[in-house]
Amino acid sequence: MTHGRFITFEGGEGAGKSTQVARLAERLRERDLDVVQTREPGGSPGAEDIRAIALNGEPGRWSPMTESLLMFAARSDHLERTIRPALEAGRWVVCDRFADSSRAYQGAGGGAPSTFIESLDAAIVGATQPDLTLIFDLPVEVGLDRAFGRGLFETRFESKGIAFHERLRQGFLEIARVHADRCVIIDAVGDQDAVAARVWAAVEDRLP
Ligand code: TYD
């Protein structure tokens, strides 16, 4: 049975991921591949409901461990309803954020124990690990300027301060080191065409 490919995009705020997710999906479709473009938290009706709770309201009302449980609850539904059925049907899944965002935001950034997050990952994601993860990297100030320019600075995860975002960036770089088999760091500085070319090079290289 053919099995699709699973590509995830990760990184801090203002890295320009969402634009690049759409561009890659389009480029793969031009190659006649059947592509499902999705995102986290969200990507299925039930997970989108959890997203609406998780990303709104008083920041800090949950501990990083509780946030991890919410993110993995949404992820469990997303995997069951969207990702696994698509992969089993031979489709390519291109996802804006996935489990590495929990490792970085709740773990490295928030201080949730990595053993806790890894046990959730083992239980919920299991064998459905991404085939390729593109980690968008750029200096924190550049990313926050971009996010601020988009008027997004006020959303709960973007209003946490520079130190949090520095931990986040280092967290993502560490993930790329630990999971070097599936991760590629994408230099997110520069214009969208230049970044899109880097993304395509990584996809062609890793997924012939
Ligand atoms: P979104 O508006 O999609 O942000 P972005 O454009 O930066 O991807 O909001 C998603 C937010 O949720 C983002 O701040 C990261 C956060 N998040 C977590 O904290 N943990 C997770 O596991 C996931 C998937 C996202």
Side-chain angles (χ1 to χ4, degrees):
M1 194 175 66
T2 50
H3 201 265
R5 301 298 183 108
F6 184 21
I7 303 176
T8 58
F9 283 61
E10 298 280 5
E13 312 297 329
K17 274 182 303 90
S18 305
T19 309
Q20 297 296 337
V21 168
R23 286 181 68 148
L24 177 65
E26 197 49 45
R27 197 152 180 186
L28 292 170
R29 287 188 186 110
E30 284 165 10
R31 299 259 169 135
D32 287 332
L33 292 165
D34 190 358
V35 179
V36 175
Q37 185 186 329
T38 186
R39 68 164 180 186
E40 287 207 348
S44 62
E48 290 289 335
D49 285 348
I50 296 171
R51 177 190 178 95
I53 299 169
L55 299 191
N56 294 302
E58 172 62 32
R61 71 196 187 288
W62 293 309
S63 71
M65 281 177 73
T66 307
E67 275 178 8
S68 303
L69 291 167
L70 278 171
M71 295 296 170
F72 274 97
R75 187 161 298 130
S76 181
D77 193 67
H78 187 207
L79 281 158
E80 287 169 2
R81 310 286 173 114
T82 304
I83 297 174
R84 288 190 187 115
L87 293 173
E88 281 158 18
R91 307 176 79 188
W92 285 48
V93 175
V94 178
C95 189
D96 190 345
R97 297 195 181 282
F98 191 62
D100 295 323
S101 281
S102 299
R103 294 186 171 96
Y105 280 79
Q106 282 68 50
S114 63
T115 48
F116 178 68
I117 292 177
E118 294 310 330
S119 67
L120 290 172
D121 190 78
I124 304 299
V125 180
T128 318
Q129 298 294 329
D131 296 297
L132 174 65
T133 297
L134 303 169
I135 296 191
F136 279 50
D137 181 60
L138 83 175
V140 167
E141 300 76 18
V142 178
L144 291 180
D145 273 358
R146 284 192 195 167
F148 190 66
R150 291 195 333 243
L152 294 176
F153 202 69
E154 296 308 314
T155 66
R156 65 184 254 104
F157 287 100
E158 288 168 342
S159 58
K160 286 193 168 183
I162 295 283
F164 173 84
H165 291 282
E166 287 290 358
R167 290 200 299 282
L168 202 56
R169 183 182 190 198
Q170 294 312 317
F172 276 122
L173 293 174
E174 176 66 12
I175 290 164
R177 272 191 292 275
V178 172
H179 301 279
D181 51 325
R182 65 173 168 85
C183 291
V184 175
I185 296 169
I186 299 290
D187 175 6
V189 178
D191 66 42
Q192 288 181 4
D193 289 348
V195 177
R198 290 174 203 141
V199 168
W200 188 248
V203 171
E204 275 197 316
D205 198 34
R206 291 289 188 116
L207 299 174

